[in-house]
Amino acid sequence: MEKSKKEQYFFWIFKGVRIILRGSEIWYVSCEQGKTLVHTRNRVYQIGGPLKEEVRKLQELPMVKVHNSFLVNMDKLEVISAKGAMLKNQVSIPVSRGCWGTARVTIEAYYRDKCSSLPQVREDAV
């Protein structure tokens, strides 16, 4: 029997409010008007640290930077292309030209490891 991976929890204190989330609850992280926001399925939490700091904090999760202002949980992705991403809850996320190449490679590697049936993608098909 495969040993299940222990659920990760993340903790922030922002303006006296303690925010505790399971990693699997985090859909994406955004930076809007200088505020870093953690988005779950039903709520948005403002946290104190800059987005760069959150990238480091969340590195244990399958997060990928798709835009200078967005980190996306790869387990929540439904569709992604150079033009944008759609999450499983129908939220649309922009994908920047500067992040697309690295994001594409990261996402393909993640799903190649996760799914043995992932097809090889031709470069000219992208």
Side-chain angles (χ1 to χ4, degrees):
M1 183 187 325
E2 184 180 319
K3 192 174 183 176
S4 64
K5 195 174 183 181
K6 190 174 180 178
E7 180 75 62
Q8 294 175 300
Y9 286 83
F10 294 87
F11 181 77
W12 293 274
I13 299 175
F14 181 72
K15 294 185 178 181
V17 176
R18 280 135 178 88
I19 302 165
I20 304 164
L21 295 173
R22 289 191 321 254
S24 61
E25 291 178 293
I26 299 170
W27 284 66
Y28 66 100
V29 179
S30 67
C31 183
E32 300 170 22
Q33 300 174 350
K35 298 175 183 173
T36 301
L37 307 171
V38 175
H39 301 256
T40 65
R41 183 174 187 87
N42 299 313
R43 293 198 59 189
V44 178
Y45 299 91
Q46 184 176 345
I47 56 176
L51 191 59
K52 272 186 181 179
E53 188 177 301
E54 300 314 316
V55 170
R56 286 191 295 274
K57 187 172 190 173
L58 298 170
Q59 68 185 358
E60 298 300 315
L61 292 178
M63 302 292 280
V64 62
K65 184 176 179 179
V66 296
H67 188 281
N68 285 337
S69 299
F70 289 90
L71 296 174
V72 175
N73 185 333
M74 290 186 278
D75 288 332
K76 309 300 185 187
L77 275 173
E78 184 171 277
V79 176
I80 188 162
S81 73
K83 295 179 181 182
M86 180 70 70
L87 302 183
K88 292 176 182 175
N89 63 353
Q90 302 306 301
V91 169
S92 181
I93 304 286
V95 174
S96 69
R97 274 191 239 152
C99 292
W100 170 240
T102 302
R104 182 182 55 80
V105 170
T106 302
I107 292 164
E108 287 176 9
Y110 176 73
Y111 280 101
R112 195 169 288 112
D113 289 343
K114 195 170 180 163
C115 313
S116 60
S117 63
L118 183 70
Q120 276 300 100
V121 178
R122 292 187 354 239
E123 290 299 319
D124 61 344
V126 180

